[in-house]
């Protein structure tokens, strides 16, 4: 049985930088509990350890310099100054 | 001009000088303007004055289309159906956008979608649901809801969707059109906003198999800007479309799909009729059991949520999009921005993703899911040593009623049962119409092949389509 309570939900929400309204806590916890209980079906499968999990191959490209248009990228930031992103003071 | 002409037919009219490209563009622009208020397919229609192309030679000169709003179009809003990016403008064209423009295509706007492509009904868009043109009480499917509905209603001849677990094929089936989930890496994803990077792909939506193969040909070819792009040259997928299936073709029916719980009787009947049709075209039919596919949904739950939680961490009000709560400090800004910017479904997925990735859970969830993923991939590989192509219904049900399934997230997630396994395995699948329910709702089925089997899938699907008339039916009122 999956025990996923409100406290656990709040902790995950904090890690996710999400705020959950109090009135929605129960329904979120319920939805997540349902999904976790569904995926517990995987407990019954034990794939052989010899299976190749990753199909990673190295992809190389030439080490060439490309022009980048940082001014246009910066222009999309909510707050920017002198070519930098501006965020609230942290110190 | 008939609104439901295929790209092939429009091209022929243009070639014979019976219509000018500019007239085609104006015609479809007007149709979109007329019907968008009713269907909500497009989040933006571009100004008619800018709808033109300088390209004079190319496979799509003057052929208008639409792009899903998670694909970058330079200078245009790129909202992904989310409030958090409501003011974000793409600074460059996605590679697929570039290739379509270079082929002469004219893009008329951006289509509606479930927020960040997370949904199966289009109802999780921050900008309201899209309606199914076959019946406005029903969903067109999702997450490529606007793209599929626009093509089905004859508002454009083609549109691009994107798929992570079924988001092209399921709306294609629900709207009675053709949709491709390509081999992983077949089309570039440079300029596609990421949801779950190990299965995200771009796929064309069209009314005919030929048109789909044509758009796919334009998208194909390696792209050095996407490190997951397969090293395949540009490919002409229309080449093998001769109306015949290869002699000795062996097709496998995924029997588990038909025996699964909750499969709709009308979907089953339409699929069985399609099987008989393929048999009459000369295919040898075999029934195959792929018993590990049933774990597809669980594997997808874990991997897609984990990847989404990581990919969506970048939306925090710093680099782009909306920013809230700046005056309360950095952490408060992150939280306020994400709280206001994301809808509930996106939050649900981020939460589950961070839960399965959290210390102490990773081995039990993520690592396990990766191993079962390999098992599913291997099961497909074994099947393809026995048959050339697999088939199954695209969806287990008829289109959802709007406001119905979206209230029960788990039921909606499980509805991806037939589409998710191919995404997990990274293999191509092409959904084509195979009939209608008694109530007039479309039904689709899919051809599934091994990696890079798109040419064969198109060939077989084309032969099937040409021997039926489902693709010639059009929704009333458009």
């Amino acid at each position: 049985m999956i025990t996923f309570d409100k406290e656990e939900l709040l902790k995950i929400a904090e890690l996710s930088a999400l705020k959950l309204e109090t009135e929605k806590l129960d329904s979120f916890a319920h939805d997540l509990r349902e999904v976790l209980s569904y995926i517990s079906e995987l407990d019954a499968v034990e794939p052989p350890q010899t299976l190749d999990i990753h199909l990673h191959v190295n992809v190389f490209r030439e080490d060439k310099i490309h022009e980048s248009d940082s001014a246009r990228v910066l222009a999309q930031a909510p707050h920017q100054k002198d070519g930098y992103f501006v965020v609230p003071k942290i110190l | 001009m008939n609104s439901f002409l295929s790209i092939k037919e429009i091209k022929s009219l243009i070639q014979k000088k019976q219509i000018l490209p500019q007239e085609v563009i104006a015609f479809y622009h007007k149709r979109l303007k007329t019907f968008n208020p009713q269907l909500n397919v497009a989040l933006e229609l571009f100004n008619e004055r800018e709808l033109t192309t300088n390209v004079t030679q190319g496979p799509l000169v003057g052929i208008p289309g639409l792009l899903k709003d998670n694909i970058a179009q330079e200078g245009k809003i790129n909202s992904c159906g989310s409030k958090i990016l409501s003011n974000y403008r793409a600074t460059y064209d996605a590679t697929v956008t570039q290739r379509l423009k270079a082929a002469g295509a004219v893009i008329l706007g951006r289509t509606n979608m479930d927020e960040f492509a997370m949904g199966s009904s289009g109802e999780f868009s921050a900008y309201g649901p899209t309606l199914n043109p076959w019946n406005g009480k029903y969903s067109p499917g999702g997450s490529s809801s606007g793209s599929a509905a626009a093509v089905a209603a004859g508002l454009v001849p083609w549109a691009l969707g994107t798929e992570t677990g079924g988001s092209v094929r399921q709306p294609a089936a629900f709207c009675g059109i053709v949709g491709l989930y390509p081999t992983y890496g077949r089309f570039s994803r440079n300029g596609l906003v990421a949801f779950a990077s190990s299965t995200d792909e771009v796929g064309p939506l069209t009314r005919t198999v030929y048109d789909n193969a044509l758009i796919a040909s334009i998208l194909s070819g390696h792209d050095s800007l996407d490190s997951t792009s397969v090293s395949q040259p540009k490919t002409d997928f229309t080449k093998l479309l001769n109306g015949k299936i290869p002699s000795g073709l062996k097709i496998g029916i995924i029997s588990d799909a038909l025996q699964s719980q909750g499969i709709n009787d009308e979907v089953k009947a339409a699929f069985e009729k399609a099987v008989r049709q393929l048999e009459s075209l000369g295919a040898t039919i075999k029934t195959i059991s792929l018993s590990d596919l049933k774990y597809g949904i669980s594997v997808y739950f874990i991997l897609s949520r984990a990847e989404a939680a990581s990919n969506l961490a970048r939306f925090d009000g710093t680099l782009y999009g909306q920013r809230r709560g700046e005056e309360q400090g950095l952490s408060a800004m992150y939280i306020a921005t994400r709280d206001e910017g994301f809808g509930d479904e996106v939050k649900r997925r981020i939460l589950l993703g961070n839960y399965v990735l959290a210390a102490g859970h990773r081995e039990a969830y993520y690592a396990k899911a990766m191993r079962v993923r390999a098992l599913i991939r291997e099961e497909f590989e074994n099947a393809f040593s026995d048959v050339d192509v697999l088939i199954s219904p695209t969806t287990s049900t008829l289109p959802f009623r709007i406001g119905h399934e979206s209230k029960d997230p788990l039921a909606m997630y499980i509805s991806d049962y037939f589409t998710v396994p191919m995404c997990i395995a990274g293999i191509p699948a092409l959904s084509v119409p195979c009939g209608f329910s008694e109530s007039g709702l479309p039904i689709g089925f899919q051809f599934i092949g091994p990696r890079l089997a798109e040419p064969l899938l198109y060939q077989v699907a084309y032969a099937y389509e040409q021997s039926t008339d489902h693709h010639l039916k059009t929704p009333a009122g458009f």
Side-chain angles (χ1 to χ4, degrees):
Chain A
M1 190 57 216
I2 305 291
T3 54
F4 184 80
D5 54 26
K6 267 195 259 182
E7 284 64 49
E8 216 162 354
L9 178 63
L10 287 169
K11 194 177 148 225
I12 294 291
E14 192 192 334
L15 294 172
S16 309
L18 289 174
K19 184 173 73 189
L20 299 178
E21 294 140 57
T22 324
E23 65 269 23
K24 283 191 181 164
L25 280 180
D26 281 326
S27 82
F28 268 98
H30 167 263
D31 292 345
L32 293 180
R33 217 163 24 235
E34 266 203 338
V35 172
L36 288 172
S37 138
Y38 185 89
I39 60 185
S40 66
E41 67 168 359
L42 292 186
D43 295 347
V45 210
E46 208 26 80
Q49 294 292 337
T50 49
L51 271 182
D52 191 5
I53 294 178
H54 298 286
L55 301 175
H56 293 165
V57 281
N58 281 326
V59 177
F60 297 100
R61 60 169 172 77
E62 268 186 87
D63 188 15
K64 271 201 315 214
I65 295 170
H66 293 274
E67 287 287 309
S68 98
D69 195 351
S70 56
R72 292 183 70 189
V73 175
L74 265 167
Q76 290 299 313
H79 193 165
Q80 89 291 130
K81 200 183 169 195
D82 302 334
Y84 291 95
F85 295 101
V86 178
V87 292
K89 254 191 199 164
I90 51 167
L91 285 178
Chain B
M1 185 175 167
N2 171 354
S3 320
F4 291 89
L5 291 182
S6 66
I7 299 175
K8 198 180 181 184
E9 290 163 330
I10 299 170
K11 278 176 71 171
S12 146
L13 288 183
I14 293 174
Q15 258 152 24
K16 288 188 217 142
K17 305 226 186 296
Q18 288 176 7
I19 193 160
L20 293 168
Q22 210 50 45
E23 291 171 329
V24 176
I25 294 160
F27 176 80
Y28 284 104
H29 186 262
K30 193 172 164 213
R31 279 185 63 74
L32 272 163
K33 254 174 105 169
T34 308
F35 292 107
N36 195 41
Q38 180 185 337
L39 295 174
N40 199 22
V41 292
L43 297 177
E44 182 184 359
L45 294 175
F46 303 144
N47 197 320
E48 202 177 346
R49 270 170 306 166
E50 54 182 295
L51 302 177
T52 174
T53 174
N54 297 324
V55 178
T56 52
Q57 293 288 316
L60 287 182
V61 173
I63 309 290
L66 290 164
L67 302 190
K68 189 173 175 180
D69 200 26
N70 54 353
I71 300 170
Q73 303 189 52
E74 187 178 344
K76 303 294 185 194
I77 298 278
N78 194 187
S79 82
C80 299
S82 180
K83 278 198 283 189
I84 208 165
L85 289 177
S86 59
N87 60 345
Y88 172 69
R89 284 183 189 272
T91 56
Y92 64 100
D93 272 338
T95 298
V96 289
T97 309
Q98 249 171 38
R99 288 183 180 177
L100 288 161
K101 284 183 178 172
V106 175
I107 297 157
L108 303 187
R110 321 179 268 117
T111 57
N112 202 356
M113 57 184 282
D114 286 294
E115 186 177 1
F116 285 105
M118 298 177 184
S120 313
S121 71
E123 291 166 280
F124 294 136
S125 165
Y127 304 98
T130 300
L131 308 189
N132 192 320
W134 293 92
N135 184 331
K137 290 194 179 73
Y138 290 82
S139 152
S143 64
S144 308
S145 48
S147 293
V151 171
L155 308 185
V156 273
W158 64 272
L160 289 193
T162 66
E163 172 165 331
T164 307
S167 286
V168 167
R169 285 172 289 155
Q170 183 251 31
F174 281 2
C175 288
I177 60 172
V178 182
L180 173 76
Y181 179 74
T183 302
Y184 186 70
R186 177 67 102 164
F187 306 144
S188 169
R189 301 182 299 176
N190 169 53
L192 163 66
V193 179
F195 155 19
S197 307
S198 80
T199 62
D200 286 345
E201 285 298 314
V202 173
L205 288 152
T206 58
R207 289 188 295 271
T208 67
V209 172
Y210 181 93
D211 284 0
N212 208 279
L214 181 69
I215 301 289
S217 309
I218 293 160
L219 304 182
S220 70
H222 179 256
D223 178 18
S224 57
L225 295 175
D226 174 357
S227 64
T228 59
S229 171
V230 291
S231 29
Q232 286 286 316
K234 200 163 181 51
T235 309
D236 180 0
F237 295 114
T238 64
K239 225 158 83 190
L240 297 174
L241 307 189
N242 55 9
K244 295 194 179 74
I245 61 173
S247 69
L249 184 84
K250 277 195 266 178
I251 296 181
I253 300 174
I254 306 178
S255 62
D256 315 75
L258 292 178
Q259 287 147 15
S260 70
Q261 275 184 348
I263 183 161
N264 176 282
D265 287 340
E266 289 184 282
V267 170
K268 202 170 170 178
F271 175 72
E272 279 163 357
K273 206 169 157 204
V275 173
R276 288 195 294 276
Q277 185 67 22
L278 286 165
E279 212 162 15
S280 76
L281 290 170
T284 306
I285 309 284
K286 225 182 136 167
T287 300
I288 290 195
S289 170
L290 301 174
S291 59
D292 289 335
L293 293 199
K294 65 173 174 288
Y295 299 121
I297 291 282
S298 288
V299 169
Y300 179 72
F301 267 141
I302 295 167
L303 300 180
S304 69
R305 272 60 172 177
E307 294 177 32
S310 308
N311 276 326
L312 271 64
R314 73 186 59 153
F315 300 109
D316 59 10
T318 306
L319 305 181
Y320 26 54
Q322 299 289 351
R323 174 182 287 193
R324 295 285 182 275
E326 191 170 11
E327 54 296 337
Q328 283 132 41
L330 190 66
S331 301
M333 177 188 95
Y334 292 159
I335 293 173
T337 301
R338 290 161 68 82
D339 182 51
E340 266 193 57
F342 291 141
D344 283 352
E345 179 60 14
V346 172
K347 288 179 185 168
R348 263 195 287 272
R349 297 198 189 199
I350 292 174
L351 290 167
L352 186 69
N354 281 328
Y355 179 84
V356 299
L357 289 174
H361 296 162
R362 200 184 164 280
E363 188 55 33
Y365 290 110
Y366 188 80
K368 182 66 171 283
M370 284 299 279
R371 291 214 303 280
V372 182
R373 172 184 218 170
L375 200 65
I376 291 173
R377 196 188 290 133
E378 194 185 57
E379 191 169 48
F380 272 124
E381 272 166 24
N382 292 340
F384 288 124
S385 65
D386 203 11
V387 296
D388 304 298
V389 174
L390 288 165
I391 53 172
S392 88
T394 309
T395 63
S396 57
T397 66
L398 295 172
F400 313 132
R401 246 177 191 282
I402 284 183
H404 197 64
E405 271 83 353
S406 58
K407 291 207 182 84
D408 182 355
L410 186 65
M412 183 160 270
Y413 302 152
I414 296 172
S415 69
D416 292 338
Y417 179 90
F418 295 159
T419 49
V420 151
M422 301 85 201
C423 299
I424 287 171
I427 58 174
L430 180 67
S431 179
V432 295
C434 66
F436 290 84
S437 70
E438 227 169 80
S439 56
L441 294 168
I443 299 170
F445 81 121
Q446 56 183 339
F447 294 93
I448 305 145
R451 276 174 56 75
L452 303 174
E454 284 92 342
L456 176 65
L457 298 187
Y458 278 124
Q459 185 185 12
V460 181
Y462 182 75
Y464 167 79
E465 175 198 67
Q466 292 301 304
S467 72
T468 65
D469 62 358
H470 311 304
H471 63 294
L472 301 175
K473 299 205 171 97
T474 57
F478 299 97

